């Protein structure tokens, strides 16, 4: 379970967890989660926003890939898999 909140008070966060466990709790938008993750990546200076392997380039902020000058269309799952492989370049990865 994931709770998104801008509040920093512990009591507020605990109330959010309690509320989120109710059966009538509404799910948040995946678009909102994606936007929040992008905002966090923009703020974090040491985050690698572009990954490169040879002439293959992955832009984690724009969620795009290109080889040389040619754009590559990827599904979300394909993008995530490629990102994981590029982040773990040179290492064995499990399924």
């Amino acid at each position: 379970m994931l709770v998104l909140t801008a509040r920093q008070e512990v009591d507020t966060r605990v109330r959010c967890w309690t509320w989120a466990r109710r059966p009538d709790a509404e799910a948040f938008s995946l678009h909102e989660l994606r936007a929040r993750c992008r905002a966090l990546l923009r703020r974090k200076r040491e985050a690698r926003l572009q990954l490169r392997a040879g002439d293959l380039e992955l832009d984690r902020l724009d969620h795009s890939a290109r080889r040389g000058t040619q754009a590559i269309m990827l599904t979300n799952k394909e993008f995530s898999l490629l990102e994981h492989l590029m982040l773990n370049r040179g290492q064995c990865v499990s399924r």
Side-chain angles (χ1 to χ4, degrees):
M1 178 178 299
L2 177 67
V3 176
L4 298 176
T5 180
R7 304 285 183 170
Q8 294 187 10
E9 300 84 22
V10 174
D11 292 342
T12 303
R13 289 184 294 184
V14 170
R15 280 197 312 267
C16 286
W17 271 100
T18 305
W19 178 82
R21 292 178 184 262
R22 293 182 6 210
D24 62 336
E26 292 183 26
F28 60 87
S29 164
L30 289 178
H31 296 292
E32 177 185 0
L33 176 61
R34 184 184 234 175
R36 288 179 184 265
C37 289
R38 284 183 183 166
L40 286 173
L41 284 173
R42 278 194 305 268
R43 283 187 226 137
K44 193 171 184 177
R45 291 179 189 225
E46 66 272 10
R48 294 187 306 173
L49 298 179
Q50 289 190 342
L51 302 174
R52 291 200 174 125
D55 65 343
L56 180 62
E57 189 175 310
L58 195 70
D59 190 319
R60 299 169 78 191
L61 188 59
D62 292 337
H63 211 262
S64 62
R66 71 177 46 254
R67 171 158 247 143
T69 59
Q70 183 178 7
I72 302 171
M73 300 302 294
L74 299 172
T75 65
N76 287 336
K77 191 166 277 215
E78 291 169 337
F79 183 90
S80 295
L81 178 60
L82 181 58
E83 178 182 38
H84 181 72
L85 291 172
M86 291 178 81
L87 285 170
N88 294 286
R89 186 176 175 186
Q91 300 174 14
C92 291
V93 293
S94 66
R95 276 177 149 189

